[in-house]
Amino acid sequence: MGSESSSMRGFTLQDPPWTHPSGLTIHPAQLQEGRPASVFVYQPDNQEKVDKAAKHLKTLRHPCLLRFLSCTVEEDGIYLVTERVQPLEMLLQKLSADEICAGIYDILQALVFLHERGKVSHNNICLSSVFVSEDGHWKLGGMEMVCKLTEVAPESAEFGILPVSLSHARDAFLFGRLVESLLAHVEDQSEVLSSFKNTVKNLLLNPEPELRPALSTLLNHDFFRNDFLEVVNFLESLTVKTEEEKNEFFKTLLDRVSSLHEELISSRLVPLLLNQFVFAEPMAVKSFLPHLLRPKRDIMGRNREDCLLSPALFQTKVIPVLMKMFEVHEEHVRVVLLTHIDAYGELFTLKELKDIILPQVLLGLRDTSDLVVSVTLRGLAALVCLLGPEVVVGGGRVKIFKSTIPGFTKTTDTTPEGSPVHSGKNHLSLSLQNSLSTVLSKRNFPEVNQDCLAQEELRAHPLKDFRSNDFQTDGSNFLHSGDDVSEVQKTFALKSEYVQSPEDWPDWSESDGFTGDNLVNLQQMRKEIDDPDAEQWDDFSLSNDRPIPEAANISNEVNVRFEDKECSSVSFVSSSDNIAASGNPHTDTLIVTKPPQDKVSERKLDSWNSLGDEFTIKKRL
């Protein structure tokens, strides 16, 4: 049988098949619309039995019964198509005690449904009639021998036709034998398990049919009262629960599932927890989902407390579900997904991020909801770290913000003892220098965006630290609590060079020379040089429109070395003789002069734009 012929029937058979000793073969298959399925292939001489099974599967619908899709009769066999399942016999050795308990409960529910709602007896309860679906639930199949309760054959000749009150007895006995064989795989020796085994032995396997209880009496046994089964049952009926019940459930859910195996959580609970209904519960969003949506370890190997799944299980079990959730265009779903994308985004492949996640996230920028736009921008920030800015925001970027943080790389002070840096007002504390050095020199993390690493490091040293005692030497603050941080970053550049020796100058990354933004408050510099206790000149400003007063009593001249020219000089000039001309008693002016062999001339402040990267400033006595 080739794939061409099977495709004509509406499905394509896949390998490997599983063959039952009776000759029944079960193939994994794929339907034409892409859905997975299973195909039971019977020999042609079994058509009557298959027709009976197909009839009951079509008419009897229950979550714990095998779901019928179609049936096709061909010359080479009969093809019964159902939901994708695997025989329990293939998986039994791999199942945990909790999964076996939950599976027994599934089969029990199926039998109670058949007896009380369908009014039929199964008559074929055995290991080969039980299958496991993709979500881990056990499904009861083998419906070839189903009959009405009034038609149940007696177990022995002397009984004749069984009364309806005892029509459950045959299935009860068969179910007891199945449970007995399954519990042999459970190593737990608890009192609850021992009690259930005794119930099975003394009641279900009782040789007297009239002493076998109805199977519905077992539903409330303590054996089926465990955290895993109760969580599954609650989540499957979530839509009919009250608000009080749901709040109490999700408030304590983390404690209840923390004791379960990771494999059990990922395979059985993840599909029930990652859906629109759970995401719509405020208590779930607050108390539980943050622990489920964050792997136990991040990409750097750091452990996260109170998280449930390892990165490996998260990637194989949770990531496929999240990719489908990103296709759900519901506001509350998108908000939850993007709130935690910084924790799980690294577990997507680059192709998944670029082709699936990023296009879906970008849709949020066009939404009318302010909340969706806000979380979308946060999500894009996380994707920049994973995909790079070129992928997220596109090309054509230009340098707008200059990197002007001093490049502190020294760990010891090598300046002479008499250097002005020891004056106390202009010297950064060693601890802050080391912190900045760590941020600026961190370049050894492969496949991680450096901007994000720097941002992460700077979180450890927020801007408030620039207002703290980090800027202290000998008990004096470089900054005051009221200073503006952005202004400090501008003024610190030139001010520190004015009082430091050339060897201590930081290495600037830009070579645009001096601009208006680089100029410092000259009044502040004069204040520290000549009279540290003088009042601040609040009305001082630099302006090219003001007249230049004559130089008089105070003149401090500094030499500036050009990178590609001879030395020139810069003079600070203040005069009290020409107050009337300027109208301002506190006017300072910069005068730039050429070396002695050249003609001395004044320059406007705009001429400073031609200065090079490296220059020397020293105080002339």
Side-chain angles (χ1 to χ4, degrees):
M1 169 177 35
S3 60
E4 296 81 3
S5 59
S6 61
S7 296
M8 295 177 62
R9 304 184 188 105
F11 56 83
T12 302
L13 297 180
Q14 298 174 338
D15 292 324
W18 180 81
T19 303
H20 190 267
S22 64
L24 173 66
T25 303
I26 304 176
H27 284 266
Q30 187 174 28
L31 304 180
Q32 285 184 341
E33 59 268 28
R35 285 191 301 158
S38 290
V39 177
F40 293 73
V41 182
Y42 296 86
Q43 297 298 322
D45 54 356
N46 292 323
Q47 181 171 352
E48 182 179 353
K49 184 169 62 175
V50 176
D51 289 343
K52 186 176 182 180
K55 173 186 175 182
H56 292 300
L57 287 175
K58 283 190 292 185
T59 56
L60 298 170
R61 296 282 186 169
H62 187 271
C64 297
L65 291 176
L66 188 62
R67 185 157 56 93
F68 171 86
L69 297 180
S70 65
C71 186
T72 303
V73 179
E74 301 288 343
E75 294 182 359
D76 56 350
I78 305 171
Y79 302 91
L80 177 65
V81 185
T82 69
E83 62 180 309
R84 173 67 66 86
V85 292
Q86 290 180 284
L88 176 60
E89 296 171 82
M90 293 178 58
L91 305 175
L92 185 57
Q93 300 296 330
K94 304 176 183 177
L95 300 180
S96 65
D98 287 324
E99 289 177 291
I100 292 176
C101 173
I104 293 174
Y105 190 77
D106 286 337
I107 302 304
L108 179 60
Q109 290 185 94
L111 291 173
V112 170
F113 170 79
L114 291 177
H115 291 174
E116 298 185 357
R117 301 289 299 275
K119 305 299 182 182
V120 295
S121 177
H122 189 276
N123 301 321
N124 189 28
I125 304 170
C126 58
L127 195 60
S128 61
S129 296
V130 181
F131 304 90
V132 181
S133 65
E134 290 189 305
D135 62 4
H137 277 289
W138 289 14
K139 303 297 183 83
L140 181 61
M143 307 285 281
E144 297 87 354
M145 300 180 66
V146 172
C147 69
K148 295 180 180 180
L149 291 178
T150 56
E151 299 173 355
V152 176
E155 297 181 25
S156 57
E158 64 268 19
F159 276 101
I161 298 297
L162 285 176
V164 176
S165 60
L166 297 179
S167 58
H168 68 278
R170 177 184 288 274
D171 279 354
F173 184 82
L174 295 174
F175 177 70
R177 289 201 307 187
L178 173 64
V179 170
E180 193 175 46
S181 66
L182 292 173
L183 292 181
H185 297 272
V186 178
E187 299 178 357
D188 186 15
Q189 300 299 325
S190 65
E191 294 183 3
V192 174
L193 178 60
S194 299
S195 172
F196 187 66
K197 287 182 176 179
N198 291 333
T199 300
V200 171
K201 181 179 180 180
N202 298 329
L203 298 179
L204 298 184
L205 298 180
N206 194 299
E208 301 296 330
E210 61 271 15
L211 297 180
R212 300 171 194 162
L215 292 177
S216 58
T217 61
L218 298 177
L219 290 173
N220 295 322
H221 196 281
D222 289 342
F223 178 68
F224 301 117
R225 294 293 172 264
N226 59 67
D227 285 334
F228 171 71
L229 194 52
E230 289 182 351
V231 168
V232 170
N233 291 337
F234 190 97
L235 291 173
E236 290 180 339
S237 58
L238 183 64
T239 55
V240 299
K241 301 295 184 181
T242 65
E243 290 301 316
E244 292 75 13
E245 289 174 329
K246 289 186 287 188
N247 288 339
E248 183 63 27
F249 173 78
F250 286 113
K251 188 183 299 183
T252 60
L253 182 57
L254 179 61
D255 294 333
R256 302 181 72 176
V257 303
S258 295
S259 59
L260 301 178
H261 293 293
E262 281 186 317
E263 292 78 6
L264 188 60
I265 297 173
S266 62
S267 62
R268 295 296 305 274
L269 296 185
V270 163
L272 297 174
L273 289 166
L274 298 184
N275 57 59
Q276 300 97 305
F277 301 110
V278 175
F279 281 25
E281 298 297 329
M283 187 59 67
V285 174
K286 174 185 176 182
S287 301
F288 181 75
L289 288 178
H291 305 281
L292 180 61
L293 292 176
R294 303 178 75 84
K296 283 186 175 181
R297 291 183 301 277
D298 61 16
I299 195 171
M300 304 301 296
R302 294 170 295 193
N303 291 329
R304 295 188 176 112
E305 295 182 359
D306 297 329
C307 295
L308 298 172
L309 300 177
S310 64
L313 278 175
F314 196 102
Q315 192 167 37
T316 57
K317 298 295 185 179
V318 179
I319 290 298
V321 180
L322 293 180
M323 282 197 293
K324 295 180 180 179
M325 293 292 291
F326 268 100
E327 298 176 358
V328 177
H329 293 172
E330 296 183 17
E331 180 175 325
H332 70 282
V333 174
R334 182 55 56 90
V335 169
V336 174
L337 291 175
L338 291 182
T339 299
H340 303 286
I341 193 173
D342 62 316
Y344 63 77
E346 61 200 22
L347 296 180
F348 288 103
T349 65
L350 291 178
K351 181 175 177 57
E352 291 168 346
L353 284 174
K354 184 177 179 180
D355 297 344
I356 300 175
I357 304 303
L358 179 59
Q360 289 291 340
V361 172
L362 289 173
L363 291 176
L365 294 177
R366 305 203 305 266
D367 196 85
T368 57
S369 168
D370 292 345
L371 178 59
V372 171
V373 175
S374 175
V375 296
T376 297
L377 292 173
R378 291 174 55 187
L380 290 175
L383 293 179
V384 167
C385 297
L386 299 170
L387 292 173
E390 292 78 9
V391 176
V392 177
V393 301
R397 297 184 300 140
V398 296
K399 185 67 175 176
I400 298 175
F401 297 95
K402 298 180 182 180
S403 301
T404 58
I405 298 179
F408 295 108
T409 58
K410 301 178 182 179
T411 58
T412 59
D413 188 6
T414 59
T415 57
E417 185 176 355
S419 172
V421 299
H422 295 288
S423 62
K425 289 193 174 184
N426 303 81
H427 185 53
L428 289 175
S429 67
L430 185 60
S431 61
L432 181 59
Q433 293 185 25
N434 293 338
S435 299
L436 290 174
S437 177
T438 302
V439 174
L440 298 173
S441 63
K442 195 160 187 177
R443 296 291 186 269
N444 56 347
F445 291 96
E447 301 179 1
V448 180
N449 187 278
Q450 297 299 325
D451 293 338
C452 298
L453 285 175
Q455 182 183 18
E456 181 179 353
E457 290 289 345
L458 287 173
R459 291 194 194 103
H461 306 282
L463 285 178
K464 66 178 182 180
D465 291 344
F466 287 90
R467 304 178 188 267
S468 67
N469 292 333
D470 284 336
F471 283 89
Q472 288 187 359
T473 301
D474 300 331
S476 62
N477 286 331
F478 176 69
L479 301 181
H480 302 288
S481 60
D483 292 337
D484 182 75
V485 173
S486 61
E487 182 65 20
V488 167
Q489 291 174 333
K490 292 192 295 180
T491 60
F492 170 74
L494 183 58
K495 185 174 181 180
S496 59
E497 273 80 339
Y498 181 76
V499 296
Q500 289 181 355
S501 62
E503 292 81 0
D504 292 328
W505 285 15
D507 183 17
W508 299 90
S509 59
E510 296 293 335
S511 59
D512 294 340
F514 269 96
T515 65
D517 292 336
N518 297 117
L519 296 179
V520 299
N521 192 323
L522 300 182
Q523 165 265 328
Q524 176 71 11
M525 296 171 59
R526 287 280 306 282
K527 172 185 171 183
E528 294 186 5
I529 295 172
D530 298 320
D531 188 3
D533 298 326
E535 290 185 9
Q536 182 173 345
W537 296 351
D538 296 328
D539 58 344
F540 176 83
S541 62
L542 286 176
S543 174
N544 291 336
D545 298 327
R546 296 191 178 188
I548 301 176
E550 296 179 4
N553 298 327
I554 302 175
S555 177
N556 294 291
E557 187 172 339
V558 293
N559 287 341
V560 180
R561 176 174 55 83
F562 286 81
E563 181 176 345
D564 56 350
K565 297 181 179 181
E566 295 294 334
C567 292
S568 295
S569 65
V570 179
S571 296
F572 301 169
V573 181
S574 178
S575 176
S576 59
D577 299 332
N578 210 7
I579 294 177
S582 63
N584 190 339
H586 302 140
T587 302
D588 282 10
T589 305
L590 284 176
I591 300 177
V592 183
T593 60
K594 293 184 178 181
Q597 62 271 22
D598 293 339
K599 180 180 180 180
V600 178
S601 63
E602 295 183 356
R603 299 192 181 198
K604 295 183 179 180
L605 292 177
D606 292 342
S607 64
W608 285 44
N609 292 330
S610 62
L611 292 178
D613 291 336
E614 298 179 356
F615 49 87
T616 301
I617 301 177
K618 67 179 181 178
K619 181 176 179 181
R620 177 173 295 178
L621 299 177

